Amino acid sequence: MTVSANEYFLTILGFLCQQGYDGRTSTLTTKAVALIVLVFSSLMYQFYGTFIIGSLLTPPPKNLKTIRQLIDSNFQVTMENLFYNWDFFNRTKDPAAIELFNKKILKSVAKPTNVSHGIVLIRKGGYAVQCDIGYTYPILKSTFTDDEICDLQDIPISPLRPLHLPLQKGSPLKQYFRVTLRKLIESGSGGYYYREYFSSKPPCPKSDLETTQIDVYQVISIFYFLALGFLLSVVILIIERIYYRYRIAPTVWEYTN
């Protein structure tokens, strides 16, 4: 008896879907093919299973790192309503900062506000606020949860610029000021006053070794597909039974009689 290509296809598809097989494996070739397909299906399920679990355990990447990415995002952008912020955007020559001000801040739903309301908008989600981090970070550290702190992203708009001492050219005091600044750095006074008057970003308290909890809602789509498969198989079974009863069974009965 010859076996059609459709039967071969259905048999291999059944192996990949981890279905039972009631055929005969009398020849060595059939046994080898069945073993290879079974091993391949197990490896495929193992790969995709670890891929799905790995994607759930991996924290989402933080993609907003530049002003350009913030402009292209769906975030609403506002700023702290202070004079020097308006002065910065009016005087800056940075094309990215100018585009951010014209496209995002001026057209934002949220108008320029204070830090307290800006933090409320950030916590609500979908908002970015341009503000002074010197006094914003302590408020974030005391009000945000650990998960919210880990989700924070900051983008520097005004880059750090080197400062110089306002001395006259060729002034003999230049060397004295230079030595004094060097002594401040060596004694640690510079770092102390920097930590005293400037706040650093709150560190993420989560450890890399901390286990990630996977809830049911994260894999609920798999159960939906499984239920859909059950329903579809029942429908196909009913159609097959109806077809067999009204088309195949009368023909067989007439042939036997």
Side-chain angles (χ1 to χ4, degrees), residues 135-205:
Y135 48 81
T136 304
Y137 278 156
I139 302 176
L140 294 176
K141 187 176 181 181
S142 60
T143 57
F144 274 33
T145 62
D146 294 344
D147 293 335
E148 291 172 340
I149 290 177
C150 293
D151 292 337
L152 281 176
Q153 302 182 52
D154 54 350
I155 301 174
I157 294 181
S158 178
L160 295 177
R161 294 179 174 86
L163 301 178
H164 62 89
L165 296 174
L167 297 177
Q168 184 180 2
K169 183 178 180 180
S171 174
L173 299 177
K174 181 184 296 184
Q175 187 64 23
Y176 293 100
F177 276 106
R178 184 178 300 173
V179 173
T180 303
L181 290 176
R182 179 62 61 183
K183 288 184 177 181
L184 287 175
I185 296 173
E186 291 178 354
S187 62
S189 300
Y192 169 77
Y193 286 109
Y194 182 84
R195 292 189 300 268
E196 185 72 19
Y197 296 105
F198 296 93
S199 300
S200 58
K201 182 179 179 180
C204 178

Side-chain angles (χ1 to χ4, degrees), residues 23 32 37 51 73 80 107 123 161 164-165 219-220:
V37 175
F51 176 78
S73 67
E80 189 180 2
K107 298 181 181 180
R123 200 167 191 176
R161 294 179 174 86
H164 62 89
L165 296 174
V219 293
I220 195 66

Side-chain angles (χ1 to χ4, degrees), residues 53 56-57 212-223:
I53 298 299
L56 293 175
L57 295 177
T212 304
Q213 182 179 358
I214 299 178
D215 299 325
V216 177
Y217 72 88
Q218 294 177 306
V219 293
I220 195 66
S221 58
I222 299 177
F223 295 100

Side-chain angles (χ1 to χ4, degrees), residues 11-221:
T11 302
I12 295 175
L13 183 61
F15 278 139
L16 295 178
C17 296
Q18 296 185 348
Q19 301 297 315
Y21 177 67
D22 57 352
R24 295 182 179 181
T25 57
S26 57
T27 62
L28 183 60
T29 305
T30 306
K31 294 179 181 179
V33 172
L35 181 61
I36 292 173
V37 175
L38 286 173
V39 172
F40 175 75
S41 64
S42 300
L43 292 177
M44 185 179 65
Y45 272 87
Q46 181 70 18
F47 170 76
Y48 282 105
T50 53
F51 176 78
I52 293 173
I53 298 299
S55 63
L56 293 175
L57 295 177
T58 303
K62 297 182 178 180
N63 298 324
L64 297 179
K65 298 180 180 179
T66 61
I67 300 178
R68 170 55 53 188
Q69 293 174 345
L70 181 60
I71 296 173
D72 297 335
S73 67
N74 297 325
F75 278 80
Q76 295 286 335
V77 182
T78 184
M79 71 176 187
E80 189 180 2
N81 193 11
L82 295 175
F83 171 77
Y84 56 81
N85 285 336
W86 291 100
D87 183 70
F88 166 75
F89 285 111
N90 289 329
R91 293 176 179 270
T92 183
K93 302 299 182 182
D94 187 3
I98 296 174
E99 185 177 359
L100 176 68
F101 181 73
N102 294 328
K103 288 187 176 181
K104 287 288 187 177
I105 297 178
L106 291 181
K107 298 181 181 180
S108 176
V109 178
K111 301 302 179 181
T113 180
N114 52 28
V115 174
S116 301
H117 186 251
I119 291 177
V120 173
L121 294 176
I122 296 175
R123 200 167 191 176
K124 181 180 178 181
Y127 287 90
V129 180
Q130 190 273 336
C131 56
D132 190 345
I133 61 175
Y135 48 81
T136 304
Y137 278 156
I139 302 176
L140 294 176
K141 187 176 181 181
S142 60
T143 57
F144 274 33
T145 62
D146 294 344
D147 293 335
E148 291 172 340
I149 290 177
C150 293
D151 292 337
L152 281 176
Q153 302 182 52
D154 54 350
I155 301 174
I157 294 181
S158 178
L160 295 177
R161 294 179 174 86
L163 301 178
H164 62 89
L165 296 174
L167 297 177
Q168 184 180 2
K169 183 178 180 180
S171 174
L173 299 177
K174 181 184 296 184
Q175 187 64 23
Y176 293 100
F177 276 106
R178 184 178 300 173
V179 173
T180 303
L181 290 176
R182 179 62 61 183
K183 288 184 177 181
L184 287 175
I185 296 173
E186 291 178 354
S187 62
S189 300
Y192 169 77
Y193 286 109
Y194 182 84
R195 292 189 300 268
E196 185 72 19
Y197 296 105
F198 296 93
S199 300
S200 58
K201 182 179 179 180
C204 178
K206 290 185 177 180
S207 174
D208 296 335
L209 302 177
E210 182 181 358
T211 58
T212 304
Q213 182 179 358
I214 299 178
D215 299 325
V216 177
Y217 72 88
Q218 294 177 306
V219 293
I220 195 66
S221 58

